C-alpha cells in the first residue's frame, strides 16, 4: 500500500493566496483611516460616503500590488519536489517491478521443475540400468558357479577327461594299425590327427579348459587353448627291436633313444614293443632245435650228407639270438634311459593299449 504525499504546488498556491488576502486587508485599513485632503482621497471619501465599500477596480489594483510584492517564499521547495515525487509514477514502477519479479520467479520455478523432472528421469534410467546389470551379473555368476562345479567334479574319471585329448599319429605307422586306432578313439570322443614323421611315433595334445587355483583350491575355467603333453610313444615290432639291440654302435638302440630325447625334449618316452614275447619263444625253439641237431650229429644219426632241400630249409630257419643281449637292451632302456616299456601280442592289442594310454594321460593333471 502506498500513501499519497502532499502536493507542493498546492501548498505554494495556498500560501500565495493567504499573502494576498493579508496584503488586501492592510491596504483597505490604510484607505479607511486616511482622511487627508489629498486628491487621491477620493476613494476614501467615496468609501465613507458609500459606507466603506471598496470598488472592484481598487481591489484588482491592490491585488496587482500583492502579486508584485510576492517573494520566493511562495514558490514550492525544490528539495521537496525531489524527495517527494508523485505517488502515481512510484506505484506504476513498483507494479512493473513486482510483475517482472513474479514472471522471473515463475520462469525459475518452471526451470527448476524441468530440471527435477529430468533428474528424476535420469535417476530412474540409472536404477533400471543398475537392475539390468545386476540381473545379468547374477546370471553370469550362476553360470560360472555351475561351470566351476562341473570342472571340479571327479575328473580322475577317464570318461570325463579323455575328450580333452588329441592323438597325433605318425604317417609311418602301419595303415591297418592306424585305422584300428581311429576306430577305437571315435566312440570316446577323442580327436585324431596325422603328422609327418620318419618313425612310428605317437604324441598327444590336450584341449585345456580349466586351471587349478592354488588360493581357492579348485579348478577355474579359462579360455580354450591347446597344450602339448609331455609323453611320446614309439611303436616297434619285435624284429625292429632285436635289430636295434644287435646293431653296431651309433645305429643301435641307445642311439635310437637319444634321437627321440633330442627331438622331444623333456618328454617321457614310452616304448611299445609288439610280439617280443612270441619272438622270444620262437628264439628258444631255434635254440632247442640247434641243440637237438647237435646231439644227433654227435651220436652219428645224421652221417649222410644233407640234401639241397635240407640245406635250403636250414637257411630259412631263424638264427638264434642270445637272450641275454635282448634282456640287457631292455634293462638299459628302463634303468639308464628311464623309459617305460610295454609289450603287446598283436596289432589289435597295440591299438587298444594306445587308447588306454591316452585315457591314462588325460587323468594325470587331475590326480
Amino acid at each position: 500500500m502506498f500513501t499519497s504525499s502532499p502536493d507542493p504546488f498546492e501548498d505554494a498556491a495556498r500560501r500565495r493566496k493567504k499573502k494576498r488576502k493579508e496584503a488586501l486587508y492592510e491596504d483597505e485599513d490604510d484607505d479607511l483611516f486616511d482622511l487627508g485632503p489629498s486628491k487621491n482621497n477620493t476613494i476614501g471619501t467615496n468609501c465613507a460616503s458609500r459606507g466603506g465599500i471598496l470598488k472592484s477596480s481598487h481591489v484588482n489594483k491592490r491585488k496587482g500590488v500583492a502579486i508584485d510584492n510576492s517573494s520566493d517564499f511562495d514558490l514550492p521547495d525544490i528539495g521537496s519536489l525531489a524527495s517527494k515525487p508523485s505517488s502515481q509514477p512510484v506505484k506504476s514502477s513498483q507494479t512493473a517491478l513486482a510483475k517482472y519479479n513474479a514472471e522471473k520467479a515463475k520462469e525459475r520455478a518452471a526451470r527448476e521443475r524441468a530440471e527435477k523432472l529430468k533428474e528424476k528421469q535420469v535417476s530412474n534410467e540409472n536404477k533400471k540400468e543398475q537392475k539390468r546389470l545386476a540381473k545379468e551379473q547374477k546370471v553370469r555368476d550362476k553360470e560360472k558357479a555351475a561351470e566351476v562345479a562341473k570342472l571340479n567334479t571327479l575328473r580322475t574319471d577317464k570318461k570325463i577327461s579323455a575328450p580333452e585329448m588329441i592323438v597325433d599319429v605318425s604317417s609311418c605307422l602301419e595303415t591297418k594299425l592306424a585305422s584300428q586306432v581311429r576306430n577305437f578313439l571315435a566312440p570316446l570322443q577323442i580327436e585324431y590327427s596325422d603328422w609327418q614323421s620318419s618313425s612310428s611315433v605317437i604324441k598327444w595334445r590336450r584341449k585345456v579348459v580349466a586351471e587349478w587355483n592354488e588360493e581357492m583350491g579348485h579348478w577355474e575355467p579359462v579360455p580354450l587353448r591347446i597344450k602339448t603333453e609331455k609323453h611320446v610313444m614309439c611303436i616297434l615290432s619285435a624284429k625292429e627291436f632285436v635289430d636295434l639291440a644287435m646293431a653296431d654302435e651309433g645305429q643301435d638302440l641307445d642311439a635310437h633313444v637319444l634321437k627321440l630325447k633330442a627331438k622331444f625334449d623333456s618328454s617321457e618316452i614310452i616304448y611299445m614293443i609288439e610280439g617280443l614275447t612270441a619272438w622270444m619263444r620262437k628264439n628258444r625253439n631255434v635254440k632247442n632245435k640247434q641243440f637237438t641237431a647237435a646231439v644227433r650229429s654227435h651220436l652219428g644219426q645224421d652221417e649222410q650228407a644233407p640234401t639241397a632241400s635240407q640245406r635250403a630249409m636250414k637257411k630259412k630257419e631263424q638264427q638264434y639270438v642270445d637272450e641275454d643281449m635282448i634282456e640287457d637292451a631292455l634293462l638299459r632302456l628302463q634303468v639308464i634311459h628311464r623309459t617305460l616299456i610295454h609289450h603287446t601280442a598283436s596289432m589289435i592289442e597295440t591299438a587298444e593299449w594306445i587308447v588306454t594310454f591316452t585315457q591314462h594321460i588325460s587323468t594325470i593333471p587331475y590326480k
Side-chain angles (χ1 to χ4, degrees), residues 19-20 23-24 26-27 57-71:
K19 292 288 285 183
R20 284 197 299 271
L24 180 61
E26 289 176 0
D27 290 341
S57 61
H58 181 75
V59 174
N60 291 337
K61 181 179 180 182
R62 302 307 285 179
K63 282 182 181 180
V65 173
I67 292 172
D68 292 339
N69 292 333
S70 64
S71 65

mmCIF file of all heavy atoms in Angstrom, residues 19-20 23-24 26-27 57-71:
data_model
loop_
_atom_site.group_PDB
_atom_site.id
_atom_site.type_symbol
_atom_site.label_atom_id
_atom_site.label_comp_id
_atom_site.label_asym_id
_atom_site.label_seq_id
_atom_site.Cartn_x
_atom_site.Cartn_y
_atom_site.Cartn_z
ATOM 1 N N LYS A 19 -1.196 35.261 1.509
ATOM 2 C CA LYS A 19 -0.413 36.507 1.497
ATOM 3 C C LYS A 19 -1.193 37.609 0.808
ATOM 4 O O LYS A 19 -1.190 38.770 1.247
ATOM 5 C CB LYS A 19 0.915 36.275 0.786
ATOM 6 C CG LYS A 19 1.875 35.347 1.526
ATOM 7 C CD LYS A 19 2.469 35.988 2.763
ATOM 8 C CE LYS A 19 3.517 36.999 2.405
ATOM 9 N NZ LYS A 19 4.165 37.592 3.590
ATOM 10 N N ARG A 20 -1.885 37.248 -0.285
ATOM 11 C CA ARG A 20 -2.663 38.277 -0.985
ATOM 12 C C ARG A 20 -3.782 38.803 -0.115
ATOM 13 O O ARG A 20 -4.084 40.009 -0.084
ATOM 14 C CB ARG A 20 -3.238 37.695 -2.294
ATOM 15 C CG ARG A 20 -2.175 37.583 -3.393
ATOM 16 C CD ARG A 20 -2.842 37.413 -4.755
ATOM 17 N NE ARG A 20 -3.651 36.219 -4.820
ATOM 18 C CZ ARG A 20 -3.214 35.039 -5.182
ATOM 19 N NH1 ARG A 20 -1.941 34.903 -5.525
ATOM 20 N NH2 ARG A 20 -4.030 34.013 -5.194
ATOM 21 N N ALA A 23 -2.348 41.173 2.472
ATOM 22 C CA ALA A 23 -1.961 42.463 1.870
ATOM 23 C C ALA A 23 -3.196 43.279 1.540
ATOM 24 O O ALA A 23 -3.237 44.512 1.711
ATOM 25 C CB ALA A 23 -1.131 42.219 0.618
ATOM 26 N N LEU A 24 -4.277 42.660 1.117
ATOM 27 C CA LEU A 24 -5.511 43.345 0.759
ATOM 28 C C LEU A 24 -6.133 43.969 1.998
ATOM 29 O O LEU A 24 -6.568 45.137 1.986
ATOM 30 C CB LEU A 24 -6.495 42.377 0.103
ATOM 31 C CG LEU A 24 -7.837 42.969 -0.313
ATOM 32 C CD1 LEU A 24 -7.635 44.099 -1.346
ATOM 33 C CD2 LEU A 24 -8.751 41.905 -0.892
ATOM 34 N N GLU A 26 -4.617 44.895 4.714
ATOM 35 C CA GLU A 26 -3.787 46.023 5.151
ATOM 36 C C GLU A 26 -4.064 47.263 4.329
ATOM 37 O O GLU A 26 -4.174 48.390 4.822
ATOM 38 C CB GLU A 26 -2.316 45.631 5.074
ATOM 39 C CG GLU A 26 -1.909 44.610 6.137
ATOM 40 C CD GLU A 26 -0.471 44.185 5.963
ATOM 41 O OE1 GLU A 26 0.190 44.680 5.024
ATOM 42 O OE2 GLU A 26 0.009 43.325 6.757
ATOM 43 N N ASP A 27 -4.229 47.130 3.034
ATOM 44 C CA ASP A 27 -4.484 48.309 2.161
ATOM 45 C C ASP A 27 -5.838 48.883 2.441
ATOM 46 O O ASP A 27 -6.026 50.134 2.461
ATOM 47 C CB ASP A 27 -4.433 47.889 0.697
ATOM 48 C CG ASP A 27 -3.000 47.544 0.281
ATOM 49 O OD1 ASP A 27 -2.067 47.971 0.980
ATOM 50 O OD2 ASP A 27 -2.833 46.806 -0.747
ATOM 51 N N SER A 57 -12.465 47.792 -8.927
ATOM 52 C CA SER A 57 -11.250 48.238 -9.613
ATOM 53 C C SER A 57 -10.141 48.440 -8.632
ATOM 54 O O SER A 57 -8.984 48.127 -8.883
ATOM 55 C CB SER A 57 -11.529 49.508 -10.407
ATOM 56 O OG SER A 57 -11.957 50.539 -9.519
ATOM 57 N N HIS A 58 -10.487 48.955 -7.477
ATOM 58 C CA HIS A 58 -9.498 49.179 -6.441
ATOM 59 C C HIS A 58 -8.929 47.846 -5.943
ATOM 60 O O HIS A 58 -7.727 47.724 -5.735
ATOM 61 C CB HIS A 58 -10.148 49.967 -5.297
ATOM 62 C CG HIS A 58 -9.165 50.262 -4.167
ATOM 63 N ND1 HIS A 58 -8.182 51.231 -4.253
ATOM 64 C CD2 HIS A 58 -9.053 49.674 -2.967
ATOM 65 C CE1 HIS A 58 -7.494 51.254 -3.124
ATOM 66 N NE2 HIS A 58 -8.018 50.310 -2.313
ATOM 67 N N VAL A 59 -9.837 46.915 -5.783
ATOM 68 C CA VAL A 59 -9.390 45.595 -5.304
ATOM 69 C C VAL A 59 -8.430 44.963 -6.302
ATOM 70 O O VAL A 59 -7.414 44.444 -5.935
ATOM 71 C CB VAL A 59 -10.607 44.684 -5.079
ATOM 72 C CG1 VAL A 59 -10.144 43.275 -4.733
ATOM 73 C CG2 VAL A 59 -11.450 45.235 -3.962
ATOM 74 N N ASN A 60 -8.764 45.078 -7.545
ATOM 75 C CA ASN A 60 -7.894 44.492 -8.563
ATOM 76 C C ASN A 60 -6.568 45.164 -8.576
ATOM 77 O O ASN A 60 -5.532 44.539 -8.783
ATOM 78 C CB ASN A 60 -8.540 44.596 -9.944
ATOM 79 C CG ASN A 60 -9.767 43.694 -10.055
ATOM 80 O OD1 ASN A 60 -9.871 42.734 -9.317
ATOM 81 N ND2 ASN A 60 -10.684 44.063 -10.955
ATOM 82 N N LYS A 61 -6.587 46.473 -8.309
ATOM 83 C CA LYS A 61 -5.347 47.220 -8.274
ATOM 84 C C LYS A 61 -4.485 46.763 -7.129
ATOM 85 O O LYS A 61 -3.286 46.560 -7.272
ATOM 86 C CB LYS A 61 -5.666 48.711 -8.189
ATOM 87 C CG LYS A 61 -4.419 49.590 -8.178
ATOM 88 C CD LYS A 61 -4.832 51.063 -8.125
ATOM 89 C CE LYS A 61 -3.603 51.981 -8.117
ATOM 90 N NZ LYS A 61 -3.961 53.435 -8.022
ATOM 91 N N ARG A 62 -5.093 46.546 -6.002
ATOM 92 C CA ARG A 62 -4.332 46.126 -4.823
ATOM 93 C C ARG A 62 -3.845 44.699 -4.996
ATOM 94 O O ARG A 62 -2.811 44.339 -4.487
ATOM 95 C CB ARG A 62 -5.210 46.250 -3.572
ATOM 96 C CG ARG A 62 -5.761 47.668 -3.330
ATOM 97 C CD ARG A 62 -4.715 48.746 -3.323
ATOM 98 N NE ARG A 62 -3.969 48.706 -2.075
ATOM 99 C CZ ARG A 62 -2.969 49.548 -1.805
ATOM 100 N NH1 ARG A 62 -2.574 50.414 -2.717
ATOM 101 N NH2 ARG A 62 -2.355 49.474 -0.651
ATOM 102 N N LYS A 63 -4.647 43.946 -5.706
ATOM 103 C CA LYS A 63 -4.193 42.581 -5.997
ATOM 104 C C LYS A 63 -2.922 42.586 -6.803
ATOM 105 O O LYS A 63 -2.027 41.799 -6.583
ATOM 106 C CB LYS A 63 -5.279 41.795 -6.750
ATOM 107 C CG LYS A 63 -6.379 41.314 -5.859
ATOM 108 C CD LYS A 63 -7.385 40.508 -6.688
ATOM 109 C CE LYS A 63 -8.516 40.038 -5.782
ATOM 110 N NZ LYS A 63 -9.521 39.259 -6.530
ATOM 111 N N GLY A 64 -2.829 43.430 -7.734
ATOM 112 C CA GLY A 64 -1.607 43.543 -8.526
ATOM 113 C C GLY A 64 -0.429 43.898 -7.669
ATOM 114 O O GLY A 64 0.653 43.412 -7.840
ATOM 115 N N VAL A 65 -0.677 44.787 -6.679
ATOM 116 C CA VAL A 65 0.399 45.158 -5.762
ATOM 117 C C VAL A 65 0.835 43.963 -4.955
ATOM 118 O O VAL A 65 1.998 43.705 -4.728
ATOM 119 C CB VAL A 65 -0.065 46.333 -4.852
ATOM 120 C CG1 VAL A 65 0.959 46.615 -3.799
ATOM 121 C CG2 VAL A 65 -0.321 47.551 -5.697
ATOM 122 N N ALA A 66 -0.168 43.189 -4.550
ATOM 123 C CA ALA A 66 0.145 41.990 -3.728
ATOM 124 C C ALA A 66 0.959 40.972 -4.515
ATOM 125 O O ALA A 66 1.871 40.370 -3.980
ATOM 126 C CB ALA A 66 -1.148 41.372 -3.221
ATOM 127 N N ILE A 67 0.650 40.797 -5.763
ATOM 128 C CA ILE A 67 1.388 39.835 -6.609
ATOM 129 C C ILE A 67 2.794 40.317 -6.831
ATOM 130 O O ILE A 67 3.741 39.561 -6.800
ATOM 131 C CB ILE A 67 0.649 39.629 -7.936
ATOM 132 C CG1 ILE A 67 -0.654 38.897 -7.674
ATOM 133 C CG2 ILE A 67 1.510 38.847 -8.916
ATOM 134 C CD1 ILE A 67 -1.558 38.811 -8.886
ATOM 135 N N ASP A 68 2.940 41.686 -7.027
ATOM 136 C CA ASP A 68 4.276 42.234 -7.266
ATOM 137 C C ASP A 68 5.167 42.064 -6.065
ATOM 138 O O ASP A 68 6.375 41.932 -6.178
ATOM 139 C CB ASP A 68 4.166 43.713 -7.645
ATOM 140 C CG ASP A 68 3.508 43.900 -9.020
ATOM 141 O OD1 ASP A 68 3.532 42.909 -9.817
ATOM 142 O OD2 ASP A 68 2.992 44.984 -9.251
ATOM 143 N N ASN A 69 4.529 42.149 -4.867
ATOM 144 C CA ASN A 69 5.317 42.051 -3.637
ATOM 145 C C ASN A 69 5.573 40.609 -3.193
ATOM 146 O O ASN A 69 6.063 40.357 -2.106
ATOM 147 C CB ASN A 69 4.597 42.793 -2.510
ATOM 148 C CG ASN A 69 4.596 44.311 -2.770
ATOM 149 O OD1 ASN A 69 5.493 44.816 -3.452
ATOM 150 N ND2 ASN A 69 3.608 45.002 -2.239
ATOM 151 N N SER A 70 5.138 39.621 -4.012
ATOM 152 C CA SER A 70 5.346 38.209 -3.628
ATOM 153 C C SER A 70 6.831 37.884 -3.654
ATOM 154 O O SER A 70 7.577 38.471 -4.434
ATOM 155 C CB SER A 70 4.597 37.282 -4.565
ATOM 156 O OG SER A 70 5.121 37.412 -5.870
ATOM 157 N N SER A 71 7.242 36.953 -2.819
ATOM 158 C CA SER A 71 8.663 36.563 -2.698
ATOM 159 C C SER A 71 8.853 35.087 -3.076
ATOM 160 O O SER A 71 7.906 34.371 -3.402
ATOM 161 C CB SER A 71 9.133 36.797 -1.259
ATOM 162 O OG SER A 71 8.448 35.944 -0.387
#
